[in-house]
Amino acid sequence: MTYEETLDFLFNQLPVFQHIGAGAYKPGLQNCEALDQYMGHPHRQFRTIHIAGTNGKGSTSHLLAAILQRSGYKTGLFTSPHLLDFRERIRVNGEMIPVSYVIDFTEKHLPHIRDIQPSFFELTTLMAFDYFARCRVDVAVIETGLGGRLDSTNIICPDLSVITNISFDHTQFLGDTLTAIAGEKAGIIKNGTPVVVGEAAGAVKQVFTDKAQEMNAPLFFAEEEHPVQQARLTENGKWLFETETYPHLIG
């Protein structure tokens, strides 16, 4: 297969949400779990940060990946959608997944793909996990596609969960109230795993509080933390941040 033929298969023979909408949405983790088991659970070979939310999850994902990379960690980044090239979705240290890997992965697993019949996003998720494992990344920042609880990426057990601001999106799948949508996003909160939440108030805030308590997960609301007390530029051109918890953070 050429790269063009591979993309044609991914976009035209697998259900793609951006193209056909609800017909591509497959609630539940069964397909991803089946692919994950078949591929040997690649996501267990590296640490992860999981990002959900309505607004700001993409920029938060890129910012965290940049911070981790600058700190010396080999960093994977999985986001969606892409702007110009499919490979923008899967990066290691800022570099897109090679064309050859996209082709080889699709060709190698084609019989199982046809057997399991995943959606475009389900297959892309496992492609990212497989690539990150083979690249031996230290950590990967994983952005959800839609929602959280039933999102394909929710098979991971992250070291940190982040939920950005909540507003109305994909109400036909996630619910027609902010509390219902928040409940779906809160589905990425794992047992004992710290979670940071962006702007949240009233009943929406309570949804996250209740879920974190249920999962015994340390919960931090970003607006309440105000962690940076002082920031100054050092002589070597790096920023030194003074925070209440960490007195000397260099970025």
Side-chain angles (χ1 to χ4, degrees), residues 135-153:
C135 287
R136 299 180 182 274
V137 301
D138 299 308
V139 59
V141 178
I142 309 297
E143 179 191 8
T144 61
L146 191 158
R149 181 176 64 93
L150 299 177
D151 189 78
S152 302
T153 62

Side-chain angles (χ1 to χ4, degrees), residues 52-72:
T54 305
N55 303 312
K57 63 178 180 174
S59 56
T60 299
S61 297
H62 280 86
L63 179 60
L64 281 173
I67 291 171
L68 290 164
Q69 182 182 340
R70 181 65 182 267
S71 300

Side-chain angles (χ1 to χ4, degrees), residues 12-86:
N12 297 319
Q13 296 188 50
L14 297 178
V16 181
F17 183 83
Q18 283 82 3
H19 292 178
I20 65 174
Y25 179 59
K26 297 188 175 183
L29 304 178
Q30 297 90 337
N31 282 348
C32 258
E33 288 171 341
L35 286 169
D36 184 55
Q37 183 175 5
Y38 154 66
M39 294 179 188
H41 309 291
H43 68 89
R44 297 179 184 177
Q45 299 181 39
F46 49 88
R47 307 181 83 164
T48 54
I49 297 175
H50 206 185
I51 315 291
T54 305
N55 303 312
K57 63 178 180 174
S59 56
T60 299
S61 297
H62 280 86
L63 179 60
L64 281 173
I67 291 171
L68 290 164
Q69 182 182 340
R70 181 65 182 267
S71 300
Y73 296 101
K74 192 172 187 180
T75 305
L77 175 63
F78 177 56
T79 60
S80 61
H82 62 271
L83 295 177
L84 300 175
D85 190 330
F86 164 81

Side-chain angles (χ1 to χ4, degrees), residues 145-164:
L146 191 158
R149 181 176 64 93
L150 299 177
D151 189 78
S152 302
T153 62
N154 206 28
I155 63 173
I156 65 174
C157 295
D159 291 274
L160 172 68
S161 300
V162 178
I163 302 174
T164 62

